[in-house]
Amino acid sequence: MYKILINTKLADKVYLMVLEGDTSKITAPGQFINIKLDGFFLRRPISICDYDDNTITIIYKVVGEGTQYMSVLEAGQKLDCLVGLGNGFDITKSEKPLLIGGGVGVPPMYNLAKTLIKDGQKPVVILGFNSKSEVFYDDKFKELGCDTYVTTVDGSYGIKGFVTDAMQGIDFDYFYTCGPMPMFKAINAATAVSGQFSFEERMGCGFGACMGCTCKTKYGNKRICKDGPVLEKEEIVW
């Protein structure tokens, strides 16, 4: 059981929640937690934005009844969470990393950036949103010392266009990304170097038992919750 310390709105339909509890099972940036909500059959998988010795920070978007329920929970309430799920990112592949987050794919990029910096690397960050009302955490990445670019589809903030528009002219030898599938396909087409994709996927169990979140790869179907959510560029069948 994890106690809610903070549950606050960050941007349009986007909320930040800080949970207090055991974080010892978290071993890599890009892992996720699976939250049980009273009255809902399936748990909700949410990527880990950041963590320390006794707290976990998650950022989620209200897209349905489950996340709407989460948005009105108050500090002091407790949640049943499975923690440290998934494989997370492998940070040993890059020297000049580019981090690309789209919408609610931004949160796992934050702890990844901190981990890369601790490893002596200096990541460049691109954050993609639809409009200014949805933008969050660009200031947090800048506070880490990352060169940070923000794109909005409507041009209301930062660079007008998509994350691939901001990639032009950036020197990188590897990339890490999390976001929606159309963004993934565009990044895959726009990059000559290798990288890792963290998939957003509906899940049943969250730990590999039900086979409900499989992705087709060159090595057969892989479970996003257990074998992922991070897959390497070269293994994915688009």
Side-chain angles (χ1 to χ4, degrees), residues 90-165:
D90 179 355
I91 68 164
T92 65
K93 304 293 183 74
S94 62
E95 292 184 1
K96 295 182 290 184
L98 174 64
L99 279 54
I100 311 165
V104 288
V106 167
M109 296 295 105
Y110 183 70
N111 185 255
L112 174 60
K114 290 177 68 175
T115 305
L116 288 166
I117 291 169
K118 188 176 181 180
D119 188 57
Q121 303 182 52
K122 186 179 179 182
V124 176
V125 177
I126 300 175
L127 310 177
F129 303 93
N130 289 314
S131 65
K132 183 178 181 179
S133 66
E134 298 178 0
V135 174
F136 64 91
Y137 254 53
D138 56 325
D139 56 335
K140 294 289 189 181
F141 285 96
K142 291 174 183 176
E143 288 173 6
L144 293 178
C146 301
D147 291 337
T148 305
Y149 302 88
V150 178
T151 67
T152 52
V153 177
D154 64 5
S156 55
Y157 187 85
I159 300 167
K160 182 176 181 178
F162 302 99
V163 294
T164 46
D165 295 308

Side-chain angles (χ1 to χ4, degrees), residues 183-197:
M183 186 185 87
F184 279 2
K185 291 182 177 180
I187 292 171
N188 181 63
T191 53
V193 300
S194 186
Q196 296 172 38
F197 293 81

